[in-house]
Amino acid sequence: MPEVTTPYQPGTPCWVDLMAKDQQAALDFYRDLFGWQGEIGPAEFGGYAICTLNGRPVAGIGPTMAPEGMPEPPVAWTTYLASDDADATLAAVTAAGGTALMPVMDVGTVGRMLVVADPTGAVFGVWQRVDFPGAQVVNEPGALIWNELNTADPAVASAFYTAAFGVELPLMEGATHYWSLNVNGKPVGGVQKLGGALPPGTPSHWLTYFAVDDTDSTVDALVKARGSVLAPPTDAPWGRYAIVQDPQGAVFAVIKAPTG
């Protein structure tokens, strides 16, 4: 599980955001589901909203945008990995076989970002903090608790993230097909081969997990709010989890982690 650190160490998931076709509807949905507070932001930042939980930044929600003549991107949650130098990370990503989807750009005075795809096609962001380090609450109900790469080729993905970010990807203790994404010896995310409960043809992707107090009641509330369930609540050694979609199609997971 990630820890809030200042700054986040390079390679650590530090932020997640959602680009939605109907931004206000997404803000309302996640407010009701997780208790987030957020409102459409200033025009100079494209209306991007910083959502908070108990007054602390937890995730971002913005409107989908595409360059003129280009198709609108899918509604999806994006995981951002921390970097000390976005330009150097871009160079490392491309040298390791990744692809830049959005060049390095300044985001006011809060930071610098880029969006890339790894060699297996999984899209993720890179965040270099300036004034804004990333999520300031994690591992609590309603907040980010885990980021998981589901990839068509774990070996290729492992080589890429090691080369681009200097992270380590050993097999998770006791597992045979699940790898831990380690930064300075600490697990901050996971990697597994595509499959399981996800629909056939699902591309490689990063999956965002949010902590909840009660997985079943959260899923019930999501369905009542016109969300859908891809994998129903299931017990696992790491907690009771479910994989779901919001009403606009963004996939994410909810989990009640074991206590103690």
Side-chain angles (χ1 to χ4, degrees):
M1 299 176 189
E3 296 178 2
V4 173
T5 57
T6 306
Y8 282 93
Q9 295 300 305
T12 303
C14 63
W15 186 244
V16 291
D17 68 17
L18 171 70
M19 297 294 109
K21 291 180 180 178
D22 187 331
Q23 184 187 15
Q24 187 60 58
L27 288 166
D28 293 343
F29 173 82
Y30 288 97
R31 176 199 63 210
D32 294 344
L33 193 69
F34 293 140
W36 294 354
Q37 297 298 312
E39 57 186 32
I40 295 174
E44 58 263 37
F45 292 108
Y48 191 90
I50 300 291
C51 297
T52 60
L53 182 67
N54 300 323
R56 295 179 291 170
V58 66
I61 295 179
T64 54
M65 293 180 287
E68 190 172 345
M70 297 292 288
E72 195 170 73
V75 177
W77 280 99
T78 299
T79 291
Y80 288 78
L81 303 184
S83 167
D84 286 338
D85 185 328
D87 295 291
T89 297
L90 175 58
V93 162
T94 53
T99 304
L101 302 180
M102 179 187 294
V104 177
M105 61 180 289
D106 293 312
V107 184
T109 63
V110 296
R112 309 186 75 220
M113 65 166 287
L114 64 150
V115 178
V116 300
D118 73 22
T120 75
V123 175
F124 65 98
V126 175
W127 181 253
Q128 176 191 339
R129 75 185 295 265
V130 180
D131 293 338
F132 183 74
Q136 291 300 287
V137 52
V138 297
N139 304 333
E140 296 178 14
L144 176 68
I145 189 171
W146 192 245
N147 300 80
E148 179 181 84
L149 173 63
N150 289 266
T151 176
D153 194 327
V156 168
S158 177
F160 167 78
Y161 289 97
T162 297
F165 291 94
V167 297
E168 300 173 336
L169 289 101
L171 273 172
M172 190 76 82
E173 186 176 349
T176 56
H177 295 92
Y178 198 95
W179 293 263
S180 174
L181 178 71
N182 286 5
V183 172
N184 296 331
K186 293 183 178 181
V188 297
V191 179
Q192 68 177 355
K193 188 173 176 63
L194 271 172
L198 299 170
T202 299
S204 298
H205 64 281
W206 279 88
L207 181 65
T208 299
Y209 283 73
F210 295 109
V212 294
D213 276 325
D214 186 313
T215 303
D216 296 77
S217 64
T218 300
V219 170
D220 287 345
L222 174 136
V223 170
K224 289 176 182 176
R226 301 180 65 186
S228 55
V229 180
L230 299 180
T234 302
D235 288 315
W238 52 90
R240 185 166 178 79
Y241 75 100
I243 302 175
V244 296
Q245 278 182 305
D246 72 18
Q248 298 185 57
V251 177
F252 62 99
V254 294
I255 185 167
K256 177 175 173 56
T259 57

